[in-house]
Amino acid sequence: YQRRVHGVFFCAKRTFPSQPAMADDELLTLQSQDGQEFKVEVKVAKMSETIKNLIDDAGTDSPIPLPNVTGKILAKVVEYCKYHTEHPTAASEDKKDEKRTDDIIGWDLEFCKVDQPTLFELILAANYLDIKDLLDLTCKTVANMIKGKTPEEIRKTFNIRNDFSPEEEEQVRK
């Protein structure tokens, strides 16, 4: 709104009362697409930028609905976030911009040993929930599955049908 004082206009942003800040160890409820509910600490949930923004905007009086994430996948996401909240890894400043796929730690390697549909649903959930480290991890896992393989091996690994005619495929190879 604008206010005039002694012939000068002042602009001020209206503020609305915000939700009281929650302590990091308080519990909130996340609700999956299929109605499953997960009670997690605020600090765990805030690994997701999406959830962090929802908490800041709407509070946590009721379960936070996550319509794009199934219960099975949300359970895995919560497991990942809990582990990495309890065991934070120091990001190397030297290699921050370097894209590597061989720097996955042991726990993360085990975490990603899932079937392909689960891995791809984890990628979608990490993207929707804006959990950068989980998205990087799952994408690196897929990159490692592709690395060093021929196009035919990649098609077989990911069950991709080759829809190129022999002539088109020859053109692409040139």
Side-chain angles (χ1 to χ4, degrees):
Y1 70 93
Q2 291 185 340
R3 185 171 173 191
R4 185 176 172 181
V5 178
H6 302 292
V8 178
F9 282 101
F10 289 90
C11 293
K13 182 179 170 186
R14 284 200 172 158
T15 58
F16 299 95
S18 62
Q19 299 294 325
M22 291 189 70
D24 279 350
D25 59 348
E26 282 188 66
L27 293 178
L28 59 84
T29 304
L30 303 176
Q31 187 177 48
S32 68
Q33 169 188 83
D34 47 1
Q36 292 183 49
E37 292 189 349
F38 298 84
K39 293 217 178 287
V40 299
E41 291 180 341
V42 170
K43 66 183 172 193
V44 172
K46 282 187 171 181
M47 280 191 71
S48 160
E49 287 296 318
T50 301
I51 294 172
K52 181 176 180 281
N53 291 336
L54 287 170
I55 292 169
D56 292 345
D57 293 345
T60 59
D61 296 335
S62 57
I64 296 173
L66 301 171
N68 294 351
V69 186
T70 64
K72 173 187 169 190
I73 298 303
L74 187 54
K76 290 287 284 179
V77 170
V78 167
E79 176 189 356
Y80 175 88
C81 291
K82 277 183 182 176
Y83 179 85
H84 283 282
T85 300
E86 294 166 4
H87 306 91
T89 52
S92 171
E93 291 300 316
D94 300 342
K95 311 220 182 223
K96 196 167 90 172
D97 294 328
E98 187 178 324
K99 301 297 180 210
R100 301 178 53 162
T101 61
D102 61 349
D103 59 348
I104 300 174
I105 62 171
W107 188 91
D108 287 349
L109 279 172
E110 287 303 311
F111 177 82
C112 285
K113 287 186 179 174
V114 294
D115 58 55
Q116 278 185 29
T118 300
L119 182 60
F120 289 121
E121 284 186 60
L122 279 169
I123 290 171
L124 293 173
N127 186 50
Y128 168 68
L129 295 171
D130 195 2
I131 306 172
K132 183 184 181 322
D133 290 343
L134 179 56
L135 183 60
D136 287 348
L137 170 65
T138 51
C139 289
K140 284 180 182 183
T141 301
V142 172
N144 286 335
M145 294 168 74
I146 293 171
K147 194 183 290 185
K149 292 191 174 175
T150 65
E152 291 77 24
E153 291 170 325
I154 294 169
R155 283 190 199 104
K156 186 175 180 187
T157 299
F158 297 105
N159 198 24
I160 300 169
R161 185 177 59 87
N162 182 3
D163 57 355
F164 284 124
S165 69
E167 296 80 25
E168 290 172 324
E169 193 163 343
E170 188 59 39
Q171 189 69 23
V172 170
R173 291 183 188 273
K174 288 183 181 179

